Amino acid sequence: MQKKIKDFMTELVKKNPGETEFHQAVQEVVESVMPFIEKNPKYQEAKILDRIVEPERVIMFRVPWQDDKGEVQVNRGFRIEMNSALGPYKGGLRLHPSVYLGILKFLAFEQVFKNSLTTLPMGGGKGGSDFDPKGKSDNEVMRFCQSFMTELQRHIGPDTDVPAGDIGVGGREIGFMFGQYKRLRNEFTGVLTGKALSWGGSLIRSEATGYGCVYFAEEMLKTRGESFKGKVCAVSGSGNVAQYTVEKLFQLGAKPVTLSDSNGYIHDPDGISEQKLEFVMELKNVKRGRIKEYAAKYNCKYVEGRWPWEVKCDCVFPSATQNEIHESDAEQLVKNGCMLVAEGANMPTLPEAIKIFQQAKILYGPGKASNAGGVAISGLEMSQNSLRLSWSREEMDERLHDIMVKIHDTCVKYGKDGKHIDYVKGANLGGFVKVADAMLDQGLV
Ligand code: NDP
Ligand code: 2IT
């Protein structure tokens, strides 16, 4: 088995040189599904694994735009249309200077399994650009988004490919992109999700990833007869996912004590209350300031250039970016008595760190299961757009909760090993089987 996995990975690395994040994401899935494929020759004969790691289509394009000084800027745009076995390609757009093919392919690959887990009819995709929104004016962001969509529009559509937000893409960017799509195509359709409520958006979409992650974690805690009451929680990031993770944790009686950005983290031992969170939302979503300002306002500790994993806590919610929890962080977290990790971000934990969590038998929920609430509500935004109706906040929250419980059930079904639940295996296998079977049904495509 180990040799089969190694041979497969050697071939993949050779075929996709330099795409280290993509290699990492594939390795994890292959380790989970290879034993299953070995036992089921129909997947082997159809070369499902070789096909599933190859995007159906990769689009790369030039994005020229003019900055406020009138200078010409050129960025690179991407859309990875990874797999459409279960529905139209679906997944976010990331705007961050680190963006390149390897990052977007890892994200698109993960998205395929995540979307399958949601139970909704969505294929997987991801896109974005190496554009850095930090320090740009609203007008610069608008000109970039318009140029980006001028090319992207010819590849997407409500029944083809439906992008949404990710790092650096929130309500403002979705608005600019939607406006440009509508202008070029003369169509008001559900081509993007994460839209504002007055023009086709869904209630609970903003909250969905963070709330969903906490709902999933609550199910994990229940397997040990535990609840969030009084649990000290470390959260990283301070963007969309982190904000609503903190909100739900607070509502469920936990005490979220940290937030971070790319400069450092704050530690507020008194807990981040609803009122303090309002300050964070204004700071991050409107003023676009740094998290350091929280420490000044609420007189707590700010640690420059570090992640919050050194803070003693019961539960952690990595909600910033990939590879933010290293082996030494995992060791320290386990030593400090941490009992649960639920990933709001995509692939935030390095493989060596995952091993440490698994060996310590703490509850470890991988992103493709625990952060699937965002895309799940995106899927329901698509349904509402098709119906030209909108469902109530209560209904959306209930559906989100229900979907996260179902994803947890799937992880248990495929990942239960005696008393222990291997959520990595459960999520990978649970996501894989549906996609693989649909690929078999649809012939050699
Ligand atoms: P936002 O852009 O709203 O926030 C990102 C946050 O993470 C910011 O605080 C940012 O700090 C920090 N961050 C980003 N990159 C880095 C980095 N390289 N090093 C340190 N800090 C960093 O993004 P989201 O909250 O939407 O996304 C966060 C994570 O959740 C991502 O992994 C994303 O893929 C994942 N996710 C998002 C979903 C969604 O619906 N939005 C759904 C599922 C997963 P700074 O401002 O300094 O850059
Ligand atoms: O990683 C993710 O699941 C997202 N960024 C959300 C994708 C979506 O289409 O809502």
Side-chain angles (χ1 to χ4, degrees), residues 94-96 98 106-107 111 114 126 134 165-170 205-206 208-209 236-243 260-263 284-285 289-290 307 318-322 324 343-348 367 371-375 378:
R94 178 175 290 192
L95 298 183
H96 193 271
S98 63
F106 117 63
L107 288 163
Q111 198 80 45
K114 184 195 303 192
K126 201 84 184 192
K134 260 194 219 104
D166 193 76
I167 292 177
V169 176
R205 176 59 189 93
S206 304
T209 312
S236 67
S238 49
N240 173 269
V241 179
Q243 290 169 14
S260 74
D261 61 22
S262 52
N263 293 98
K284 285 286 163 185
N285 310 348
R290 309 310 301 159
W307 291 98
S319 310
T321 191
Q322 65 277 354
E324 49 172 299
E343 296 181 340
N346 288 305
M347 206 170 76
N371 73 35
V375 75
S378 275

Side-chain angles (χ1 to χ4, degrees), residues 145-422:
C145 288
Q146 289 179 339
S147 180
F148 182 80
M149 186 50 87
T150 300
E151 173 57 31
L152 188 65
Q153 58 89 19
R154 71 184 85 248
H155 307 288
I156 62 175
D159 297 315
T160 318
D161 184 353
V162 184
D166 193 76
I167 292 177
V169 176
R172 174 181 62 168
E173 293 73 20
I174 293 291
F176 293 150
M177 290 187 198
F178 185 77
Q180 185 71 352
Y181 182 89
K182 190 161 55 70
R183 188 178 185 198
L184 292 168
R185 302 281 286 254
N186 197 25
E187 280 170 13
F188 194 112
T189 64
V191 68
L192 293 164
T193 60
K195 302 185 290 300
L197 292 177
S198 59
W199 44 273
S202 172
L203 285 157
I204 300 284
R205 176 59 189 93
S206 304
E207 294 88 336
T209 312
Y211 279 19
C213 190
V214 177
Y215 292 153
F216 187 86
E218 199 182 23
E219 294 307 302
M220 293 168 82
L221 285 175
K222 279 189 200 160
T223 66
R224 305 240 168 129
E226 291 268 1
S227 81
F228 272 120
K229 276 265 164 313
K231 295 275 185 307
V232 175
C233 300
V235 180
S236 67
S238 49
N240 173 269
V241 179
Q243 290 169 14
Y244 289 102
T245 295
V246 164
E247 182 164 272
K248 188 50 74 181
L249 284 172
F250 189 79
Q251 287 171 3
L252 295 184
K255 195 199 259 191
V257 295
T258 68
L259 281 169
S260 74
D261 61 22
S262 52
N263 293 98
Y265 77 87
I266 60 106
H267 180 204
D268 184 350
D270 295 336
I272 303 165
S273 61
E274 289 273 10
Q275 182 218 339
K276 291 172 178 174
L277 184 62
E278 252 176 59
F279 169 82
V280 174
M281 288 186 175
E282 172 79 10
L283 174 70
K284 285 286 163 185
N285 310 348
V286 182
K287 293 188 186 143
R288 300 185 191 274
R290 309 310 301 159
I291 200 64
K292 187 179 182 175
E293 292 173 48
Y294 179 106
K297 166 97 179 164
Y298 295 110
N299 198 23
C300 69
K301 191 163 113 182
Y302 170 71
V303 184
E304 180 87 21
R306 297 188 65 85
W307 291 98
W309 315 133
E310 55 204 19
V311 170
K312 192 167 163 28
C313 60
D314 303 305
C315 308
V316 301
F317 292 83
S319 310
T321 191
Q322 65 277 354
N323 293 338
E324 49 172 299
I325 300 185
H326 293 246
E327 192 173 6
S328 54
D329 301 319
E331 276 164 0
Q332 183 155 13
L333 283 164
V334 170
K335 208 169 94 206
N336 282 348
C338 168
M339 64 175 298
L340 175 143
V341 182
E343 296 181 340
N346 288 305
M347 206 170 76
T349 312
L350 280 147
E352 307 80 57
I354 297 178
K355 282 214 178 76
I356 290 177
F357 292 146
Q358 288 182 324
Q359 274 159 11
K361 295 238 179 322
I362 71 166
L363 296 163
Y364 167 71
K368 60 172 81 69
S370 53
N371 73 35
V375 75
I377 296 300
S378 275
L380 297 178
E381 182 173 331
M382 290 165 70
S383 309
Q384 293 169 82
N385 290 164
S386 298
L387 291 168
R388 297 191 191 283
L389 282 175
S390 43
W391 297 326
S392 71
R393 189 179 164 87
E394 291 69 32
E395 189 167 355
M396 294 309 297
D397 198 23
E398 211 179 294
R399 282 175 185 251
L400 172 65
H401 188 264
D402 191 46
I403 288 173
M404 298 317 294
V405 171
K406 284 201 181 110
I407 296 174
H408 186 270
D409 290 346
T410 303
C411 290
V412 174
K413 178 176 166 195
Y414 287 95
K416 204 164 168 56
D417 180 11
K419 266 175 94 180
H420 180 67
I421 301 157
D422 181 344

